[in-house]
Amino acid sequence: MSSLASAPSAQSAGSVSSRIKIASWIARVVVAVILLQTLFFKFTAAPESVHIFETLGAEPWGRLASGVAELVAAVFLLLPATVAFGAALALGVMLGAIGSHLFVLGIVVQDDGGTLFAMALLVAALSAWVLWLHRRTLPVIGSRLG
């Protein structure tokens, strides 16, 4: 009886782990797609991107640098060996974007209804969760994070 009782719990633990792995992949892909989608606007100097970075006093170098950082984060998120780095980089970039919205740009930018701000919040939340899931893979500090 004890082997039967332990078998379902072992199976349940395995299915929870596989569900978390699938959810992690979904979150990573969602974040990567959002980051990659914004690159077109940053690298082609779309008027909204130019407006944002002019308002921040960082046009064109801030726009291009944030685009490169988002590209690197997206690629790192999709490579199993660099997931934690990608999540940390994406989170850092999004915290900067959120701060820019809260303190300089406002929630709504050029009548977008707050879409850019909402996407920054979504990417930050998903990146933080992915970073938490993969924290043990960080060099030096990962083994201490438990």
Side-chain angles (χ1 to χ4, degrees):
M1 180 75 172
S2 65
S3 65
L4 290 175
S6 64
S9 61
Q11 184 180 8
S12 296
S15 63
V16 168
S17 177
S18 66
R19 286 183 189 150
I20 289 175
K21 285 180 184 179
I22 292 168
S24 170
W25 266 107
I26 291 169
R28 291 159 56 188
V29 168
V30 167
V31 169
V33 166
I34 291 171
L35 293 175
L36 292 171
Q37 176 261 332
T38 65
L39 293 180
F40 173 79
F41 301 101
K42 286 190 172 91
F43 291 153
T44 61
E48 186 176 61
S49 290
V50 171
H51 167 75
I52 288 168
F53 286 93
E54 280 179 347
T55 303
L56 296 173
E59 173 62 27
W61 300 110
R63 175 176 49 82
L64 296 173
S66 70
V68 169
E70 290 174 6
L71 175 61
V72 170
V75 171
F76 279 7
L77 278 164
L78 298 175
L79 299 174
T82 57
V83 172
F85 291 117
L89 182 55
L91 179 59
V93 171
M94 289 305 109
L95 290 176
I98 291 165
S100 295
H101 277 277
L102 292 175
F103 299 111
V104 180
L105 299 168
I107 303 299
V108 177
V109 177
Q110 291 191 328
D111 298 321
D112 76 341
T115 301
L116 286 176
F117 181 71
M119 289 177 64
L121 290 174
L122 175 64
V123 170
L126 290 175
S127 297
W129 182 67
V130 169
L131 179 58
W132 177 255
L133 289 177
H134 296 274
R135 67 193 180 279
R136 291 181 192 96
T137 65
L138 291 168
V140 181
I141 63 169
S143 60
R144 298 180 192 148
L145 296 176

